[in-house]
Short mmCIF file of all heavy atoms in Angstrom, two decimals:
data_model
loop_
_atom_site.label_atom_id
_atom_site.label_comp_id
_atom_site.label_asym_id
_atom_site.label_seq_id
_atom_site.Cartn_x
_atom_site.Cartn_y
_atom_site.Cartn_z
N ALA C 28 9.17 2.84 -3.53
CA ALA C 28 8.01 2.32 -4.26
C ALA C 28 6.93 3.45 -4.50
O ALA C 28 6.70 4.24 -3.48
CB ALA C 28 7.36 1.13 -3.56
N ARG C 29 6.49 3.50 -5.62
CA ARG C 29 5.45 4.50 -5.87
C ARG C 29 4.05 4.01 -5.73
O ARG C 29 3.14 4.82 -5.54
CB ARG C 29 5.65 5.05 -7.26
CG ARG C 29 7.06 5.82 -7.49
CD ARG C 29 7.28 6.22 -8.81
NE ARG C 29 7.04 7.72 -8.81
CZ ARG C 29 7.25 8.49 -9.81
NH1 ARG C 29 7.69 8.13 -10.94
NH2 ARG C 29 7.08 9.79 -9.60
N TYR C 30 3.93 2.71 -5.88
CA TYR C 30 2.59 2.06 -5.73
C TYR C 30 2.83 0.77 -4.97
O TYR C 30 3.85 0.15 -4.94
CB TYR C 30 2.04 1.57 -7.19
CG TYR C 30 1.75 2.76 -8.05
CD1 TYR C 30 2.68 3.35 -8.92
CD2 TYR C 30 0.48 3.36 -7.97
CE1 TYR C 30 2.43 4.32 -9.74
CE2 TYR C 30 0.19 4.46 -8.79
CZ TYR C 30 1.09 4.86 -9.70
OH TYR C 30 0.83 5.90 -10.47
N LEU C 31 1.72 0.43 -4.19
CA LEU C 31 1.68 -0.77 -3.44
C LEU C 31 0.26 -1.45 -3.62
O LEU C 31 -0.68 -0.66 -3.52
CB LEU C 31 1.95 -0.69 -2.00
CG LEU C 31 1.85 -2.02 -1.17
CD1 LEU C 31 3.03 -2.80 -1.45
CD2 LEU C 31 1.62 -1.71 0.26
N LEU C 32 0.19 -2.59 -4.17
CA LEU C 32 -1.05 -3.37 -4.32
C LEU C 32 -1.31 -4.22 -3.19
O LEU C 32 -0.39 -4.91 -2.79
CB LEU C 32 -1.01 -4.15 -5.62
CG LEU C 32 -0.61 -3.47 -6.92
CD1 LEU C 32 -0.68 -4.42 -8.04
CD2 LEU C 32 -1.39 -2.24 -7.16
N ILE C 33 -2.46 -4.03 -2.50
CA ILE C 33 -2.80 -4.97 -1.36
C ILE C 33 -3.86 -5.87 -1.95
O ILE C 33 -4.96 -5.36 -2.32
CB ILE C 33 -3.32 -4.13 -0.17
CG1 ILE C 33 -2.27 -3.23 0.43
CG2 ILE C 33 -3.91 -5.11 0.88
CD1 ILE C 33 -2.64 -2.47 1.59
N ASP C 34 -3.57 -7.17 -1.92
CA ASP C 34 -4.50 -8.16 -2.50
C ASP C 34 -5.29 -8.80 -1.36
O ASP C 34 -4.83 -9.40 -0.49
CB ASP C 34 -3.55 -9.22 -3.24
CG ASP C 34 -4.47 -10.28 -3.91
OD1 ASP C 34 -5.72 -10.16 -3.91
OD2 ASP C 34 -3.90 -11.17 -4.50
N LEU C 35 -6.65 -8.58 -1.55
CA LEU C 35 -7.61 -9.12 -0.51
C LEU C 35 -8.31 -10.39 -1.04
O LEU C 35 -9.29 -10.88 -0.44
CB LEU C 35 -8.66 -8.05 -0.11
CG LEU C 35 -8.04 -6.80 0.37
CD1 LEU C 35 -9.31 -5.78 0.77
CD2 LEU C 35 -7.22 -7.02 1.68
N SER C 36 -7.89 -10.93 -2.20
CA SER C 36 -8.68 -12.06 -2.81
C SER C 36 -8.75 -13.30 -2.01
O SER C 36 -9.63 -14.02 -2.17
CB SER C 36 -7.98 -12.41 -4.19
OG SER C 36 -6.70 -12.89 -3.99
N SER C 37 -7.83 -13.51 -0.99
CA SER C 37 -8.02 -14.67 -0.13
C SER C 37 -8.88 -14.49 1.07
O SER C 37 -9.23 -15.41 1.87
CB SER C 37 -6.57 -15.14 0.44
OG SER C 37 -6.18 -14.11 1.37
N LEU C 38 -9.38 -13.27 1.22
CA LEU C 38 -10.45 -13.01 2.29
C LEU C 38 -11.89 -13.13 1.78
O LEU C 38 -12.15 -12.63 0.58
CB LEU C 38 -10.17 -11.61 2.90
CG LEU C 38 -8.88 -11.22 3.48
CD1 LEU C 38 -8.79 -9.84 3.95
CD2 LEU C 38 -8.50 -12.21 4.55
N HIS C 39 -12.67 -13.68 2.58
CA HIS C 39 -14.10 -13.89 2.06
C HIS C 39 -14.97 -12.63 2.49
O HIS C 39 -15.96 -12.23 1.88
CB HIS C 39 -14.75 -15.09 2.72
CG HIS C 39 -14.03 -16.39 2.33
ND1 HIS C 39 -14.07 -16.86 0.95
CD2 HIS C 39 -13.26 -17.18 3.06
CE1 HIS C 39 -13.39 -17.88 0.90
NE2 HIS C 39 -12.83 -18.16 2.13
N SER C 40 -14.53 -11.99 3.58
CA SER C 40 -15.11 -10.75 4.07
C SER C 40 -14.02 -9.93 4.73
O SER C 40 -12.99 -10.36 5.02
CB SER C 40 -16.33 -11.06 4.88
OG SER C 40 -15.86 -11.74 6.11
N LEU C 41 -14.39 -8.63 4.99
CA LEU C 41 -13.46 -7.76 5.62
C LEU C 41 -13.99 -7.41 6.96
O LEU C 41 -14.92 -6.70 7.09
CB LEU C 41 -13.28 -6.51 4.73
CG LEU C 41 -12.08 -5.66 5.04
CD1 LEU C 41 -10.81 -6.32 4.78
CD2 LEU C 41 -12.07 -4.33 4.36
N ASP C 42 -13.35 -7.98 8.08
CA ASP C 42 -13.72 -7.76 9.39
C ASP C 42 -13.24 -6.31 9.80
O ASP C 42 -12.47 -5.70 9.07
CB ASP C 42 -13.47 -8.82 10.33
CG ASP C 42 -12.00 -9.03 10.55
OD1 ASP C 42 -11.22 -8.14 10.32
OD2 ASP C 42 -11.71 -10.25 10.83
N GLU C 43 -13.66 -5.94 10.90
CA GLU C 43 -13.28 -4.56 11.47
C GLU C 43 -11.77 -4.41 11.64
O GLU C 43 -11.19 -3.48 11.23
CB GLU C 43 -14.02 -4.25 12.78
CG GLU C 43 -13.92 -2.81 13.19
CD GLU C 43 -14.82 -2.65 14.44
OE1 GLU C 43 -16.03 -3.00 14.43
OE2 GLU C 43 -14.31 -1.97 15.35
N GLU C 44 -11.07 -5.43 12.15
CA GLU C 44 -9.60 -5.41 12.42
C GLU C 44 -8.93 -5.36 11.13
O GLU C 44 -7.94 -4.55 11.00
CB GLU C 44 -9.18 -6.56 13.28
CG GLU C 44 -9.68 -6.33 14.71
CD GLU C 44 -8.83 -7.03 15.76
OE1 GLU C 44 -7.64 -6.62 15.94
OE2 GLU C 44 -9.34 -7.98 16.26
N HIS C 45 -9.23 -6.17 10.13
CA HIS C 45 -8.58 -6.13 8.86
C HIS C 45 -8.88 -4.69 8.25
O HIS C 45 -7.82 -4.18 7.83
CB HIS C 45 -9.19 -7.23 7.87
CG HIS C 45 -8.58 -8.55 8.05
ND1 HIS C 45 -9.31 -9.45 8.78
CD2 HIS C 45 -7.46 -9.16 7.56
CE1 HIS C 45 -8.59 -10.65 8.81
NE2 HIS C 45 -7.52 -10.38 8.10
N GLY C 46 -9.98 -4.25 8.20
CA GLY C 46 -10.24 -2.93 7.64
C GLY C 46 -9.46 -1.83 8.30
O GLY C 46 -8.89 -0.99 7.68
N TYR C 47 -9.37 -1.86 9.63
CA TYR C 47 -8.67 -0.85 10.39
C TYR C 47 -7.18 -0.75 10.01
O TYR C 47 -6.63 0.15 9.72
CB TYR C 47 -8.76 -1.10 11.91
CG TYR C 47 -7.89 -0.12 12.69
CD1 TYR C 47 -8.36 1.19 12.92
CD2 TYR C 47 -6.65 -0.54 13.18
CE1 TYR C 47 -7.55 2.00 13.73
CE2 TYR C 47 -5.89 0.25 13.96
CZ TYR C 47 -6.21 1.59 14.19
OH TYR C 47 -5.52 2.46 14.87
N TYR C 48 -6.50 -1.97 9.97
CA TYR C 48 -5.10 -1.98 9.72
C TYR C 48 -4.75 -1.73 8.26
O TYR C 48 -3.76 -1.07 7.86
CB TYR C 48 -4.48 -3.32 10.19
CG TYR C 48 -4.33 -3.31 11.68
CD1 TYR C 48 -5.15 -4.07 12.50
CD2 TYR C 48 -3.41 -2.43 12.34
CE1 TYR C 48 -5.13 -4.04 13.84
CE2 TYR C 48 -3.39 -2.38 13.69
CZ TYR C 48 -4.31 -3.16 14.44
OH TYR C 48 -4.19 -3.13 15.85
N ILE C 49 -5.64 -2.25 7.35
CA ILE C 49 -5.40 -1.87 5.86
C ILE C 49 -5.59 -0.43 5.70
O ILE C 49 -4.82 0.20 4.88
CB ILE C 49 -6.40 -2.74 5.02
CG1 ILE C 49 -5.99 -4.18 5.09
CG2 ILE C 49 -6.40 -2.26 3.60
CD1 ILE C 49 -6.93 -5.13 4.54
N ASN C 50 -6.63 0.15 6.32
CA ASN C 50 -6.84 1.60 6.20
C ASN C 50 -5.66 2.35 6.83
O ASN C 50 -5.22 3.44 6.18
CB ASN C 50 -8.21 2.06 6.82
CG ASN C 50 -8.58 3.41 6.36
OD1 ASN C 50 -8.74 3.65 5.18
ND2 ASN C 50 -8.82 4.27 7.33
N THR C 51 -5.16 1.98 7.95
CA THR C 51 -3.96 2.75 8.53
C THR C 51 -2.80 2.59 7.55
O THR C 51 -2.10 3.63 7.43
CB THR C 51 -3.64 2.09 9.88
OG1 THR C 51 -4.77 2.13 10.80
CG2 THR C 51 -2.46 2.61 10.53
N LEU C 52 -2.57 1.45 6.99
CA LEU C 52 -1.50 1.28 6.11
C LEU C 52 -1.73 2.11 4.88
O LEU C 52 -0.80 2.86 4.46
CB LEU C 52 -1.29 -0.13 5.64
CG LEU C 52 -0.13 -0.52 4.73
CD1 LEU C 52 1.19 0.00 5.15
CD2 LEU C 52 -0.11 -2.07 4.40
N HIS C 53 -2.80 2.13 4.30
CA HIS C 53 -3.30 2.91 3.16
C HIS C 53 -2.95 4.39 3.43
O HIS C 53 -2.30 5.04 2.59
CB HIS C 53 -4.81 2.65 2.85
CG HIS C 53 -5.27 3.50 1.74
ND1 HIS C 53 -5.62 4.90 1.92
CD2 HIS C 53 -5.45 3.21 0.47
CE1 HIS C 53 -6.08 5.30 0.75
NE2 HIS C 53 -6.00 4.21 -0.16
#
Side-chain angles (χ1 to χ4, degrees):
R29 299 179 103 171
Y30 294 92
L31 178 76
L32 308 181
I33 296 180
D34 183 1
L35 304 181
S36 62
S37 68
L38 302 179
H39 300 292
S40 63
L41 194 68
D42 64 28
E43 193 172 313
E44 290 205 68
H45 279 97
Y47 173 80
Y48 287 107
I49 291 167
N50 196 57
T51 299
L52 179 56
H53 176 277

